[in-house]
Amino acid sequence: MKKIYLLSFLLLLSANLLSQEKKNAREYGIKIGILTPGLNNAITDVEGVLVGHTTLIEGEATRTGVTMILPHSGNLFTDRVPAAVFVGNGFGKAVGFTQIEELGEIETPIGLTNTLSIHTVANAITDYVLEQNQNVYSVNPVVGETNDAYLNDIRSRAVNFEHVHQAIKNARSGEVEQGNVGAGTGTRALGYKGGIGTSSRKLPERFGGYTVGVLVQSNFGGVLTIDGAPVGEELKNHYLSSIVPYDVDGSVMIIVATDAPITSRNLKRLAKRAFLGISRIGGFASNGSGDYVIAFSIHPEVRNKLDHPTPVKSISELDNNATSPLFLAAVEATEEAILNSLFHAETMKGDHGTQEALPVEKVLEILRKYNLLEK
């Protein structure tokens, strides 16, 4: 048993050291879109949003984990954020989405994990909320998943309550660890090792100065396209390629946060636009892919506070005509977040084989060929 824990520690240490050498796509001169990223180019650029991971790399076959997104650090059950979901393709096991659709709000942290651990994570989130709130008899935990069964022994269901609670406890603002971490530990995307990725956009002051941040758990297929360049085709690694065996199915979870004062109606519209970021990088929502977007706003004026003194609430929200810049920000940040998940991921050996990482130097050569790298 001690040998297993030692091996797990060494593997995790090695992964962490390697991830420190990785960079965002933008740091290589790849500029996605026309808007400017926030300070950390992460979902946490939306003030108050926290992200935490628990990464499980154990023995030869456990390659999975949990990622938790907290819209704010307070009591989410009593200080709820407006939210919406968009289902691009419903081949997934999402938990808690129907109540978001019905009430337009989120009352718990958002969890991401693997397919067979989604109910464990949901139960652990429920425990967390019940511990915070007495005399509560209904909790709507929100959890998304992707299937990491190629690299991970998914049937072992290695994720437990402690891992979920640790990810919540670890949740921080600032820089977000990306690649082979948390819920992205065992994922694959667009022919290469996938993982957790994040990006953000800060609107100019004349458009409100709002921030849109995105975090993705990438695990889907297609034809990799970077800033319009046919990278997957150039590398001969893409769906329907006759040379490289390719699994197009999988899933992608996209979490969109903003500080703009918008409610569930326009958050639904924002979530739909985020889905366009998948197509820009070459995904097309294959039959076996569960592709979901969860969008929420942290603006204090649009939250649902359970201690509000009257049954009638006045809300000031952004006009429809002012939402277009937010839509563009969501598309760009989603595209770049997926790209960052690839650039940060490392080659990984797991339960059923090895998944190679994106060959960064070859990708940069292709982008130079198309004159797409900033000098």
Side-chain angles (χ1 to χ4, degrees):
M1 182 66 70
K2 290 183 178 179
K3 290 182 179 180
I4 293 176
Y5 282 124
L6 177 60
L7 176 60
S8 301
F9 172 77
L10 291 174
L11 284 169
L12 182 57
L13 177 62
S14 174
N16 287 338
L17 289 173
L18 287 170
S19 67
Q20 291 173 8
E21 301 170 4
K22 289 290 193 174
K23 298 187 291 187
N24 280 343
R26 188 167 290 265
E27 295 176 84
Y28 290 102
I30 303 170
K31 182 183 176 183
I32 300 298
I34 61 174
L35 297 174
T36 303
L39 178 63
N40 296 295
N41 196 13
I43 192 172
T44 50
D45 289 327
V46 178
E47 187 175 359
V49 175
L50 310 174
V51 176
H53 303 295
T54 298
T55 301
L56 302 179
I57 301 176
E58 299 173 356
E60 297 295 325
T62 299
R63 305 287 186 269
T64 194
V66 181
T67 295
M68 298 300 302
I69 302 96
L70 281 64
H72 61 75
S73 60
N75 188 326
L76 283 159
F77 190 85
T78 60
D79 190 4
R80 304 177 180 187
V81 296
V85 296
F86 176 70
V87 180
N89 192 62
F91 200 125
K93 288 76 186 168
V95 171
F97 281 27
T98 56
Q99 185 167 310
I100 297 175
E101 189 77 5
E102 186 69 23
L103 301 184
E105 62 188 23
I106 287 177
E107 63 188 40
T108 74
I110 301 166
L112 301 177
T113 190
N114 73 67
T115 304
L116 294 187
S117 293
I118 188 169
H119 300 101
T120 299
V121 175
N123 280 324
I125 292 173
T126 299
D127 271 9
Y128 168 78
V129 173
L130 291 177
E131 288 173 6
Q132 279 190 319
N133 303 274
Q134 301 301 314
N135 300 318
V136 168
Y137 304 100
S138 174
V139 178
N140 185 50
V142 179
V143 192
E145 54 80 26
T146 71
N147 195 308
D148 56 15
Y150 179 74
L151 293 172
N152 176 48
D153 177 14
I154 196 169
R155 288 173 60 90
S156 71
R157 291 182 283 181
V159 175
N160 61 38
F161 280 27
E162 181 182 351
H163 299 137
V164 179
H165 295 155
Q166 190 63 43
I168 295 173
K169 183 179 178 180
N170 290 342
R172 297 289 184 272
S173 58
E175 293 186 7
V176 175
E177 192 175 2
Q178 300 176 78
N180 300 2
V181 295
T185 301
T187 63
R188 303 183 293 160
L190 293 160
Y192 298 100
K193 181 66 185 70
I196 296 296
T198 190
S199 185
S200 70
R201 293 295 185 272
K202 174 81 171 176
L203 298 186
E205 289 302 323
R206 69 180 182 275
F207 297 121
Y210 304 116
T211 299
V212 174
V214 172
L215 182 141
V216 302
Q217 178 192 17
S218 65
N219 192 51
F220 65 100
V223 184
L224 177 59
T225 304
I226 299 179
D227 202 14
V231 173
E233 293 179 74
E234 292 271 2
L235 293 172
K236 296 180 172 58
N237 182 4
H238 59 87
Y239 179 52
L240 297 183
S241 168
S242 60
I243 299 173
V244 180
Y246 193 100
D247 182 7
V248 73
D249 291 333
S251 296
V252 59
M253 286 298 310
I254 302 171
I255 312 300
V256 182
T258 185
D259 55 7
I262 55 177
T263 57
S264 58
R265 181 178 57 81
N266 270 326
L267 283 165
K268 181 82 163 187
R269 300 174 73 208
L270 188 68
K272 290 178 180 179
R273 272 61 175 195
F275 196 77
L276 297 175
I278 300 175
S279 63
R280 282 175 48 151
I281 204 162
F284 61 92
S286 70
N287 173 70
S289 192
D291 305 324
Y292 299 90
V293 186
I294 304 171
F296 63 85
S297 170
I298 58 89
H299 197 286
E301 295 298 319
V302 294
R303 295 183 190 178
N304 180 15
K305 298 179 184 294
L306 295 192
D307 61 357
H308 192 274
T310 68
V312 178
K313 302 177 182 180
S314 297
I315 295 177
S316 297
E317 61 179 313
L318 205 61
D319 186 83
N320 289 342
N321 293 324
T323 57
S324 289
L326 295 174
F327 295 165
L328 177 60
V331 175
E332 289 187 7
T334 301
E335 180 183 6
E336 188 164 338
I338 296 170
L339 193 55
N340 285 338
S341 76
L342 295 170
F343 270 79
H344 279 272
E346 289 285 344
T347 295
M348 177 171 280
K349 182 179 180 181
D351 195 29
H352 292 96
T354 299
Q355 182 61 63
E356 298 293 330
L358 184 76
V360 174
E361 291 305 320
K362 290 182 179 180
V363 169
L364 296 178
E365 288 177 12
I366 294 168
L367 296 178
R368 289 189 190 99
K369 171 183 172 181
Y370 288 90
N371 197 29
L372 289 173
L373 290 184
E374 286 194 340
K375 297 179 181 179

